[in-house]
Amino acid sequence: MPSIQFFPANITITCGPGTDLLDAARKAGVAIDAPCGGNGTCGKCRVRVRSGTVKSISVGGMPFDAPEGTVVLACRSRLGDNDAAVEIPKQHTDTGGKFAGSCEQADQAVTIGPGHVSPLVETRATRVARPEKEDGLSDWDRLCNALGDAAPEDASLEALQVLARTVRGSDGNVTVTMDDRKRMIAIASGGSGHTQYGLAIDIGTTTIAVMLVSLADGEIIGVKTDYNEQISCGLDIISRINYARREHGGDDLRNHVLNAINRCIRQLTTDHGVSPDDILCVSLAGNTTMTHLLLGLPPEHIRLSPYTPTLHRVPPMNAGETGLDINRNALVRFAPAVGSYVGGDITSGLLGTEMVSGDEQIQLFIDIGTNGELVLGNSDFLMTCACSAGPAFEGGGVSCGMRAADGAVEAVKVDPATGLCDCTTIGAVKPAGICGSGMISLLAELVRTGWLDAGGKLRRNTDCSAIRVDGRKAYYILASGAQSASDSAVELSEIDIENIMRAKAAIFSAIALLTRHIGIDIEDLARVCIAGGFGRFLDITDAITLGLLPDIPEDRFRYIGNASLTGAYLTLMSQTKRELQQREARRMTYIDLSNDPGYMDQYSAALFLPHTDAGLFPSVKKPQ
Ligand code: FES
């Protein structure tokens, strides 16, 4: 059988002739961005043939043999009868082409102090009486007697298998761990000195974050993050739902996300010398689709009218059922969802805001990713909706778009006189593409300096060398082929600009609609909490200039980091927060924008820079 070798990861896999290169890469654990999920429409899965020949299909649908040096789409190319090697360009690879790295995050300031912890599982130390011939009591009977009212009502088989040995050791002193269903999941010899751990997990569409926590005092032992390997099956939720409909598609997606989570768990337990068997509970937050994919539930009804998921509230499970590599009897609790597009990540994220702490001022919570999720409210009400921002801010649907990784342009300065730009890249290396914050920065600069008009058209009839006009299309060049990390220029077309404008219009129109629903003006918002990875790098002034965020004083904006992970931590360690989350989820009113007659009007009005109603953006000055 022929083999295919992937560079720069230098990984070789043997496959049958005819295997498509994207599938081969997935099997080999090599990352190739595939925002459209392998449909041949996004053009992002480009690879260069390094040696041998692969069988490819041209844009016009003609099959051809692609020899060494040819750039082909991995999803439209197949392995022939002989060995071949391909090179994955830099913009696809954050970690040398293999999903192995971790991008640490530092915004975990919320903790629960030692005196206030009430973790998901309860630990009790007790002394079990010796067995006596006369009383006829079993080991289980004597354990339950010792625990009195706190006795377990059920037990895992593993815990029962070690019960006899454990109660006879340490002079009958044992520590029993029970989940919230009063099920004994572990028993250990000795008092309560044995350290036990829990995990808070956030499953994002792009990133997975896992936090290891000491259950005794709430101390955060460590955090690992990694890319959600499902990216190789599609960048956004809709592509993944489509992928799940393929034969074994659901299994692939489940395995990908479990690989990423379990890799983070392995790194944490190895780094901190913790036995996975001592991890006894998990609080998990993810959007509705991610939760379905993790559990192997069919996700297709989430995207088909009437948009009904299998469930909003996942019952507690044990780790063995879910596939997490920890104590198989550990309790896994899922954050409740509110709708198909407002999931547990949002009900978790809210826990770190004043909206759920009795504040009467009206605030907005917004999580910007491939979907924008919003919650508006105060201590009296919570209204929520989701809008499809599309993958533009994550690098999809934009020809030179990429995720926030080394080589991504993240900030731009444009010279008003010449129209030329000065780019700052992540990692201070040559530009390979542009990430979401870079797009916002570039467009805001072009608008401010007058090189881009309110309709998203670049200035023509100019000798500015950064603007290339080709027939009816115009492009803004951030870096020429010679200046970029590859030999191709990094440039943004007007079609790309249109896609970014659509994404920002989707978010702003959702904000406008929610405020209109409750009868307030946008300037009445007392605070805007921005969550999610994209928000971290967002320049508020630039976002207002484009009409992405409301034009209110900057000191009312607050970036709250990975709020979903923070919420998962809080619900791992506090019964009060668990009850609060259930209450808040119940009082959230979900608005389906697709059924709202006013949404399209709001959306169309927001398809300008900043907006057709300039009065909504008084601080945004017209260029001179
Ligand atoms: Fe290949 Fe989109 S074109 S994944």
Side-chain angles (χ1 to χ4, degrees), residues 363-440:
Q363 304 171 41
L364 176 70
F365 170 94
I366 176 163
D367 188 340
I368 304 174
T370 52
N371 254 15
E373 288 112 352
L374 295 85
V375 185
L376 183 71
N378 62 3
S379 52
D380 290 335
F381 71 92
L382 291 173
M383 194 169 273
T384 181
C385 72
C387 58
S388 176
F393 293 140
E394 307 266 350
V398 173
S399 51
C400 65
M402 66 182 283
R403 295 192 300 270
D406 279 359
V409 173
E410 58 171 344
V412 182
K413 276 276 161 225
V414 174
D415 185 317
T418 64
L420 301 179
C421 69
D422 192 9
C423 300
T424 305
T425 59
I426 298 176
V429 294
K430 283 184 169 186
I434 188 165
C435 63
S437 58
M439 295 173 201
I440 304 289

Side-chain angles (χ1 to χ4, degrees), residues 122 124 140-154 176 178 181-184:
E122 184 189 8
R124 296 244 172 191
W140 175 256
D141 295 334
R142 296 194 321 284
L143 174 71
C144 291
N145 286 347
L147 286 166
D149 288 346
E153 292 170 4
D154 190 6
V176 175
M178 284 174 284
R181 297 165 288 184
K182 297 204 94 175
R183 181 169 207 251
M184 180 172 78

